[in-house]
Amino acid sequence: MIDGGKEIFCMTRFIFVRHGQSVGNLTGRFLGQYDGALTDLGRRQAERAAEFLRDERIDEAFASDLSRAYETGKIIAEPHGIIPVPDKALREISAGKWENEEFSKIEEIYGADFGVWQNDIMNARPTGGESVRELAERVTKEVWRLAALCDGKTVLVATHATPIRMLLREWVNMGALPDGPKWVSNASSTTAVYDAGRHTVEVIKVSENSYLSGVETDLPPNV
């Protein structure tokens, strides 16, 4: 918004949704940017999220262009008459040699790198892939861009587990969140209000999934 030649930002409300169960989640694989689809259960989870968010104001929608996230965003946005904008900056981490590989095999073959992922994720890099710090910079920069672009609006963002974990880390570092879950669950929603002018965040809720009762799924414990 421009007032007297000066740009003034309102607050932008984000609803971040992790994609529903994917074929990779079902088979215990690290998909990374491999384009694995939603399972039938994943679509049901997205439909539950859509019903939960039906009465929420949603003005704009953006989604990772990987099909598991994009389809989740499309299902949720449809009741609001919105089609999500595909956004490569919201993709999951580029996982190099780990992409579409079973977690058990990653641990066996790339044990040292996977150990860093498990125990010191901010210094982790999937073998031959993007570092977690690079992903964090990519995603947080894009969300702040969207906050300025969509000021005063409520924005749906459909993305992946690691991008949301990096957003949670930023909020903790900013003092907006005392702590956060290690990973959010499939099709859960996380809500935060961004003030692009003051560069502040207010966290409303993290990994809300009460609407998934009976159909919850999550990452395996060895991630």
Side-chain angles (χ1 to χ4, degrees):
M1 180 171 61
I2 306 296
D3 184 8
K6 183 179 180 181
E7 193 169 21
I8 300 174
F9 292 103
C10 302
M11 291 185 287
T12 306
R13 183 169 176 263
F14 284 99
I15 302 173
F16 300 96
V17 179
R18 182 185 167 204
H19 63 78
Q21 185 195 58
S22 69
V23 292
N25 299 143
L26 182 64
T27 58
R29 291 176 178 270
F30 195 118
L31 288 185
Q33 293 188 4
Y34 178 83
D35 201 11
L38 290 178
T39 63
D40 289 342
L41 176 59
R43 292 186 188 91
R44 291 201 299 275
Q45 291 173 331
E47 289 165 0
R48 290 274 193 98
E51 184 60 32
F52 179 74
L53 296 170
R54 180 180 294 274
D55 295 330
E56 293 277 353
R57 170 187 164 188
I58 296 178
D59 303 301
E60 305 278 355
F62 298 83
S64 159
D65 62 343
L66 299 176
S67 59
R68 59 193 185 273
Y70 191 82
E71 185 175 3
T72 299
K74 187 176 180 182
I75 290 169
I76 296 170
E78 185 175 13
H80 302 271
I82 299 169
I83 298 174
V85 176
D87 189 339
K88 290 178 68 174
L90 299 172
R91 283 185 174 189
E92 181 57 278
I93 195 166
S94 178
K97 294 182 180 180
W98 297 8
E99 292 214 342
N100 199 31
E101 188 59 87
E102 294 176 5
F103 283 105
S104 59
K105 289 186 178 179
I106 294 171
E107 194 165 13
E108 177 185 348
I109 300 170
Y110 307 106
D113 287 347
F114 192 61
V116 178
W117 176 273
Q118 290 178 302
N119 300 305
D120 187 14
I121 194 167
M122 285 311 301
N123 289 311
R125 181 188 295 270
T127 311
E130 178 182 28
S131 76
V132 172
R133 290 187 186 278
E134 289 166 343
L135 174 140
E137 181 178 357
R138 162 167 63 85
V139 172
T140 56
K141 180 180 178 180
E142 180 64 359
V143 171
W144 281 109
R145 186 188 75 84
L146 294 177
L149 179 68
C150 303
D151 64 304
K153 296 181 179 180
T154 296
V155 180
L156 171 71
V157 172
T159 183
H160 305 263
T162 317
I164 294 175
R165 182 170 180 180
M166 291 303 101
L167 292 171
L168 295 176
R169 174 184 175 274
E170 183 190 37
W171 301 343
V172 170
N173 290 344
M174 293 175 71
L177 187 68
D179 200 358
K182 187 173 181 181
W183 299 107
V184 298
S185 57
N186 287 117
S188 64
S189 58
T190 294
T191 305
V193 177
Y194 276 56
D195 186 329
R198 295 183 177 88
H199 205 78
T200 60
V201 176
E202 179 187 2
V203 180
I204 308 301
K205 59 185 174 183
V206 174
S207 198
E208 168 63 53
N209 67 356
S210 60
Y211 49 86
L212 296 173
S213 179
V215 295
E216 308 97 323
T217 57
D218 209 341
L219 287 163
N222 67 329
V223 178

